[in-house]
């Protein structure tokens, strides 16, 4: 079974631009979560989508948004990029049922904002 | 609220040394607890988990016991190898809806 796939792996943008990151979950996983990982802050939860609906949201500004498609693939968008948005963005998928609450992570997209 | 506190790193050990990485948590209800590992250039991989008090999770020689009385889930390994060099994250989920991660502890094992 294929794992969680994130594209692209690396991205370089300039301040003020916008960016879209993509995540394809493991087949059968309907929940997709996004995290921002930085050296100083560790993993910070951005949001979770389940069946095309945002179910949870972390404490990030409205410039960060996401969506999920009917095939469970998810995209994350960051508008008006700032230097501080440089980070590794991780996507994780799971089957949100009791006893199956393990998250499986992709390799991440490393975003550099210049 | 829910939170995870891990010991500060980085940790540097010689091969075959004993490893302990401390993790304590604050949570409502009865959370599930996890240790994830991140190797350079990769995403996080589940290392082990425990779903109720006194459960012991184990994998690849690593162990952690869910201690409700001390709200802890310390990671241990009796003899580390160079290949164990990675960043280790403690995490919890109180209700299977949201996960909370510690800040990570970097481990370097030298030959």
């Amino acid at each position: 079974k294929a794992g969680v796939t994130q594209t692209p792996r690396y991205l370089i943008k300039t301040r003020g631009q916008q960016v879209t990151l993509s995540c394809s979950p493991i087949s059968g996983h309907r929940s997709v979560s996004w995290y921002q990982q930085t050296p100083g802050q560790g993993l910070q939860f951005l949001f979770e989508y389940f069946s095309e609906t945002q179910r949870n949201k972390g404490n990030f500004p409205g410039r960060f948004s996401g969506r999920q498609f009917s095939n469970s693939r998810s995209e994350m968008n960051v508008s008006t990029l700032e230097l501080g948005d440089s980070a590794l963005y991780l996507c994780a998928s799971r089957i949100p049922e009791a006893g199956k609450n393990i998250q499986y992570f992709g390799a991440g997209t490393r975003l550099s904002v210049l | 609220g829910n939170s995870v506190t891990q010991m500060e790193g980085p940790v540097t050990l010689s091969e075959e040394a004993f490893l302990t990485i401390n993790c304590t948590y604050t949570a409502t209800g009865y959370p599930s607890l996890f240790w994830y590992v991140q190797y350079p250039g990769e995403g996080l991989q589940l290392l082990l988990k425990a779903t109720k008090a006194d459960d012991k999770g184990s994998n690849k020689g690593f162990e952690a016991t869910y201690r409700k009385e001390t709200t802890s889930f310390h990671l241990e390994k009796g003899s580390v190898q160079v290949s164990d060099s990675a960043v280790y994250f403690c995490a919890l989920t109180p209700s299977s809806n949201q996960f909370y991660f510690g800040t990570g502890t970097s481990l370097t094992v030298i030959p």
Side-chain angles (χ1 to χ4, degrees):
Chain A
K1 197 183 251 189
V4 178
T5 304
Q6 291 189 246
T7 56
R9 288 295 309 276
Y10 303 92
L11 211 46
I12 298 175
K13 293 286 187 179
T14 56
R15 276 184 301 172
Q17 287 187 309
Q18 76 164 19
V19 67
T20 299
L21 313 181
S22 179
C23 172
S24 293
I26 291 172
S27 177
H29 287 198
R30 295 164 61 197
S31 166
V32 173
S33 297
W34 288 90
Y35 295 85
Q36 181 193 67
Q37 184 180 11
T38 57
Q41 302 293 321
L43 265 76
Q44 293 191 286
F45 173 73
L46 281 154
F47 28 66
E48 179 189 18
Y49 284 86
F50 175 71
S51 294
E52 303 178 64
T53 301
Q54 187 180 87
R55 194 156 76 162
N56 287 301
K57 188 177 189 306
N59 190 25
F60 277 81
R63 299 185 298 107
F64 292 82
S65 63
R67 59 178 176 169
Q68 187 179 33
F69 302 94
S70 58
N71 62 358
S72 294
R73 189 177 72 85
S74 177
E75 288 183 345
M76 191 192 94
N77 185 274
V78 187
S79 62
T80 319
L81 284 166
E82 301 177 358
L83 295 179
D85 297 333
S86 294
L88 180 67
Y89 290 88
L90 293 167
C91 163
S93 75
R94 67 190 176 106
I95 301 172
E97 298 171 6
K100 297 182 179 180
N101 57 355
I102 297 173
Q103 289 198 315
Y104 296 85
F105 284 82
T109 294
R110 184 162 297 281
L111 172 65
S112 297
V113 182
L114 306 178
Chain B
N2 300 293
S3 66
V4 174
T5 302
Q6 283 182 241
M7 66 182 283
E8 294 279 336
V11 175
T12 302
L13 295 173
S14 296
E15 206 165 22
E16 299 183 3
F18 184 86
L19 168 71
T20 299
I21 300 178
N22 289 338
C23 171
T24 57
Y25 67 89
T26 302
T28 53
Y30 301 93
S32 293
L33 302 174
F34 306 83
W35 277 100
Y36 279 84
V37 58
Q38 185 178 34
Y39 298 102
E42 299 182 13
L44 278 67
Q45 303 174 24
L46 179 68
L47 181 58
L48 52 84
K49 71 167 187 171
T51 57
K52 60 183 187 297
D54 299 324
D55 266 2
K56 177 185 283 188
S58 61
N59 186 26
K60 300 181 181 179
F62 290 89
E63 293 183 340
T65 301
Y66 189 142
R67 302 285 189 200
K68 191 161 178 63
E69 64 274 14
T70 54
T71 61
S72 65
F73 193 55
H74 305 320
L75 182 68
E76 297 182 334
K77 186 175 186 182
S79 176
V80 294
Q81 306 301 312
V82 171
S83 57
D84 294 327
S85 298
V87 180
Y88 293 82
F89 292 89
C90 185
L92 70 84
T93 179
S95 60
S96 300
N97 275 346
Q98 190 165 335
F99 286 72
Y100 299 83
F101 286 82
T103 52
T105 301
S106 174
L107 169 67
T108 300
V109 180
I110 54 178

